[in-house]
Amino acid sequence: LNARRVLEIGSFAGLSAIYFTNALKRNGVKPGPDASGNMPVVGLDISEEFTAIARKNLEHAGVSDYVEIVVGDARKNVAKLEGQQFEVIFIDADKPSYRAYYDAIVEKKLLTKGGLIIIDNTALWNTADYIDKPTDAVETEAIMDRPLGKISPDQFGRALHDFNEHVRNDHPRTEVVMFPIFTGVSFVRILDND
């Protein structure tokens, strides 16, 4: 990919950002903002508490000058990135919002041609119950608007299943492959984003 920029939706404690930054460094990416004022790695996270931990970890790893973490609702903040592009986008945040993130990424053209979206936890245990069942976008929207603590495991699984089906059926615009290892990871490429 020869990635120059990474978007991470769900920064948590900063571990993924550290790995991505080290990969960018091997690609010759320099610290600090580029000519457009954009940092090499942009993280979106809702938690001030975890962002503080992530920033300490980034500092300790010596990569804080590569990473910007934006705190707030990632569903809103990902849309604000319109006009920027990334070679790699990693999604590992609130699972019921995966579809909203994915749609914003594709619609706002945040992924470069030949880029890769990596989505974690797409084969959690509670998604299997919904295989071969029809999706329900209205129900998923309702689930997505609930606070995470108010979502049952069944609703959680339903939202992930609906997301997986949405991405799987987004051909010819994208192609996806899911590796059902551990909790599942999906890789998506944009084929047609005109």
Side-chain angles (χ1 to χ4, degrees):
L1 290 174
N2 194 30
R4 314 301 292 166
R5 297 196 69 218
V6 175
L7 172 61
E8 178 182 57
I9 303 174
S11 296
F12 192 49
L15 185 60
S16 300
I18 292 168
Y19 284 109
F20 283 126
T21 300
N22 284 321
L24 293 180
K25 288 166 77 172
R26 285 191 298 277
N27 288 346
V29 175
K30 303 293 182 210
D34 62 15
S36 300
N38 300 315
M39 295 295 280
V41 178
V42 176
L44 306 178
D45 204 282
I46 197 160
S47 170
E48 290 278 0
E49 177 185 0
F50 287 121
T51 297
I53 293 167
R55 288 183 175 135
K56 285 179 187 174
N57 290 337
L58 294 166
E59 186 69 35
H60 181 73
V63 297
S64 61
D65 51 350
Y66 282 82
V67 182
E68 173 189 13
I69 301 177
V70 179
V71 179
D73 184 341
R75 288 180 289 181
K76 294 176 183 171
N77 288 330
V78 75
K80 293 177 184 177
L81 295 171
E82 187 169 13
Q84 296 188 44
Q85 286 203 304
F86 304 86
E87 288 79 19
V88 175
I89 299 176
F90 180 58
I91 304 173
D92 187 14
D94 61 312
K95 312 316 177 217
S97 295
Y98 273 17
R99 183 173 177 166
Y101 301 142
Y102 171 83
D103 286 342
I105 289 163
V106 175
E107 290 163 13
K108 303 291 183 184
K109 302 181 182 195
L110 299 181
L111 191 68
T112 60
K113 185 171 177 71
L116 189 65
I117 305 171
I118 305 166
I119 308 139
D120 199 19
N121 305 127
T122 53
L124 286 174
W125 62 272
N126 52 357
T127 60
D129 295 342
Y130 296 98
I131 293 174
D132 293 330
K133 293 187 180 169
T135 62
D136 186 343
V138 173
E139 182 180 330
T140 299
E141 287 283 331
I143 293 168
M144 194 171 68
D145 289 334
R146 293 186 187 132
L148 282 177
K150 303 287 184 189
I151 298 171
S152 73
D154 287 341
Q155 292 169 327
F156 201 80
R158 180 59 184 242
L160 271 174
H161 169 70
D162 288 354
F163 166 74
N164 288 333
E165 288 299 299
H166 176 66
V167 174
R168 186 174 71 87
N169 291 306
D170 199 16
H171 194 76
R173 195 167 67 159
T174 64
E175 68 179 355
V176 62
V177 63
M178 178 198 289
F179 291 94
I181 53 174
F182 193 49
T183 58
V185 63
S186 293
F187 298 88
V188 180
R189 280 190 330 144
I190 304 290
L191 299 176
D192 182 14
N193 201 14
D194 292 326

